[in-house]
Amino acid sequence: MIKIGLIGHPIRHSLSPRIHQLWLSLYGMDGVYTLLEGKTLTKPDLGRYIQDGFCGFNITMPFKTAVIPFVDFPDELAHTIGAINTIRATKNGTEGTNTDALAIYSLLKDCPPFDRVVILGTGGAARATAWACAQRGDLEIKMLMRDVIYSGDGLEKECQGATLFVNATPIGMHTEGGGLGFNLPQSISPKCLVVDWVYFPKETNLLIEAKKRNLRCVSGLELFVAQAQESFYYWFSIRPDTASLTGVF
């Protein structure tokens, strides 16, 4: 039996088992996708999972950076971004990549270049976003520490004229207390694209506010499905049809 797992904390809300279990069944694969929740992660922990028969993993908060030295062969993308969210076990050791970066690149690739990109956050999702924007040739890319939202009008000043605004923090997630956490800056361009990496809830307050202002949006659920597709391909060399997920969420 194929065994795949998600490592992180907290992960009880994750949609990964629902998605990957469906795809495993769709492609006739005898397998199971398991939540491996824990507040800590060590290289021996990863080794024990592999000894127990796991051949692939998704890695989420708070281990995307910490897991890098535990992986035998991180690829160039993982090294560039400084974060790993997908691992496969091979006969020669573990290999790791970053499908977050591939996901957001795929969702932004058909957009015209952004003049000014503002990314809230400095973690793995933020660095994946910055990489994707750099690959696209977007002009100005700025990453902000989340503390800026508590600095008076600091966020408004930093977001002046932004044509892409990305929340790459967990702010707005139900497990982070829900709620918006901060107001969508008024200073962004009226043509701004708003992206929220949070997918729980499926429509965050940030996206609700953006839609009220008639701004284009990319939801965390879209990003989540795109990275899940990239992960499945990394493990099995099969690019699953996302249309198969219609009605799943």
Side-chain angles (χ1 to χ4, degrees):
M1 174 183 283
I2 296 167
K3 295 173 71 174
I4 307 292
L6 171 65
I7 300 174
H9 178 79
I11 54 174
R12 292 187 305 275
H13 63 282
S14 178
L15 298 174
S16 289
R18 196 182 307 180
I19 292 174
H20 288 293
Q21 204 65 59
L22 186 151
W23 285 340
L24 287 167
S25 299
L26 181 65
Y27 293 99
M29 304 167 76
D30 180 20
V32 62
Y33 190 102
T34 304
L35 296 180
L36 303 171
E37 183 158 6
K39 294 183 178 180
T40 61
L41 177 66
T42 65
K43 187 167 185 176
D45 291 334
L46 193 62
R48 280 192 292 272
Y49 290 139
I50 293 171
Q51 287 179 350
D52 288 341
F54 283 86
C55 63
F57 306 91
N58 283 132
I59 309 296
T60 190
M61 299 182 300
F63 303 127
K64 290 182 182 182
T65 299
V67 78
I68 292 177
F70 306 158
V71 176
D72 299 315
F73 305 106
D75 68 10
E76 183 178 353
L77 184 55
H79 278 301
T80 298
I81 295 170
I84 287 175
N85 78 320
T86 305
I87 295 172
R88 60 190 176 197
T90 74
K91 62 181 180 180
N92 296 318
T94 51
E95 300 173 347
T97 192
N98 191 299
T99 63
D100 285 339
L102 300 175
I104 191 161
Y105 180 80
S106 70
L107 292 175
L108 296 179
K109 66 180 180 180
D110 293 329
C111 296
F114 298 108
D115 295 331
R116 191 155 195 270
V117 177
V118 177
I119 304 166
L120 184 60
T122 56
R127 295 195 296 273
T129 303
W131 174 87
C133 291
Q135 294 300 303
R136 286 169 28 83
D138 295 326
L139 299 180
E140 180 185 350
I141 304 168
K142 178 174 287 190
M143 295 170 58
L144 304 176
M145 295 186 67
R146 60 190 289 179
D147 291 351
V148 72
I149 65 176
Y150 308 115
S151 61
D153 60 354
L155 186 60
E156 288 288 347
K157 291 179 179 177
E158 295 284 4
C159 292
Q160 184 69 45
T163 50
L164 174 63
F165 178 80
V166 182
N167 176 32
T169 77
I171 298 172
M173 186 184 295
H174 276 331
T175 55
E176 290 283 318
L180 180 60
F182 62 96
N183 293 319
L184 183 64
Q186 296 293 323
S187 59
I188 60 175
S189 166
K191 297 181 180 180
C192 188
L193 173 65
V194 177
V195 177
D196 195 345
W197 275 91
V198 173
Y199 73 87
F200 183 67
K202 290 186 288 185
E203 188 168 60
T204 62
N205 287 337
L206 183 67
L207 294 183
I208 291 171
E209 184 179 345
K211 288 176 181 179
K212 287 179 180 178
R213 290 164 58 176
N214 296 314
L215 299 173
R216 296 171 298 144
C217 299
V218 172
S219 72
L221 188 58
E222 292 174 89
L223 285 162
F224 184 77
V225 169
Q227 71 81 22
Q229 184 186 47
E230 295 289 348
S231 292
F232 200 88
Y233 182 79
Y234 188 71
W235 296 321
F236 306 118
S237 298
I238 297 172
R239 193 169 297 281
D241 182 6
T242 57
S244 63
L245 300 176
T246 301
V248 170
F249 308 117

